[in-house]
Amino acid sequence: MKTICIINPVAGQGKALKVWSTIQEKVFSLGFKVDTVYTKYTGHATTLASHAVQQGYELVLAVGGDGTMHEVVNGLAYTDTTFGVIPAGTGNDFGRSLMLPKDPVE
């Protein structure tokens, strides 16, 4: 499955980078070949997600906070691309509302 991970390096005051470094080995061990891109400004995750769809990615993982999730969802709107969530922000309301585990490896 062609997969890309959109990471917001400033989410959670750098927590997203730490979370990704913790889980990337687990992701690779599950057989995923994952390309990674990093957001650089507000709204960039939407653009990156939209481009991922155009490039044929089947799974887009978002690593960041609620704002990152919001932007990626907007970039994937009205597509069949699968959205993966790895909460790594300060509040993580989105992840809590989905009752995702607090441990990103889980």
Side-chain angles (χ1 to χ4, degrees), residues 85-100:
V85 177
I86 302 171
T90 304
N92 295 323
D93 291 331
F94 187 80
R96 275 200 314 273
S97 69
L98 295 174
M99 297 189 302
L100 297 176

Side-chain angles (χ1 to χ4, degrees), residues 52-66:
V53 171
Q54 293 169 6
Q55 294 170 350
Y57 284 94
E58 300 164 277
L59 171 61
V60 175
L61 297 173
V63 180
D66 295 332

Side-chain angles (χ1 to χ4, degrees), residues 19 22-24 26-27 30 85-87 99-106:
V19 166
T22 300
I23 66 164
Q24 72 182 27
K26 178 69 172 174
V27 170
L30 293 172
V85 177
I86 302 171
M99 297 189 302
L100 297 176
K102 288 184 180 182
D103 180 353
V105 175
E106 290 180 31

Side-chain angles (χ1 to χ4, degrees), residues 16-37:
L17 287 175
K18 291 175 189 168
V19 166
W20 178 244
S21 69
T22 300
I23 66 164
Q24 72 182 27
E25 193 170 313
K26 178 69 172 174
V27 170
F28 296 144
S29 74
L30 293 172
F32 288 95
K33 180 190 175 295
V34 180
D35 295 322
T36 56
V37 291

Side-chain angles (χ1 to χ4, degrees), residues 30-74:
L30 293 172
F32 288 95
K33 180 190 175 295
V34 180
D35 295 322
T36 56
V37 291
Y38 298 88
T39 61
K40 296 180 182 171
Y41 51 84
T42 301
H44 195 204
T46 301
T47 302
L48 292 171
S50 179
H51 286 165
V53 171
Q54 293 169 6
Q55 294 170 350
Y57 284 94
E58 300 164 277
L59 171 61
V60 175
L61 297 173
V63 180
D66 295 332
T68 305
M69 304 307 158
H70 176 79
E71 289 185 18
V72 172
V73 164
N74 283 326

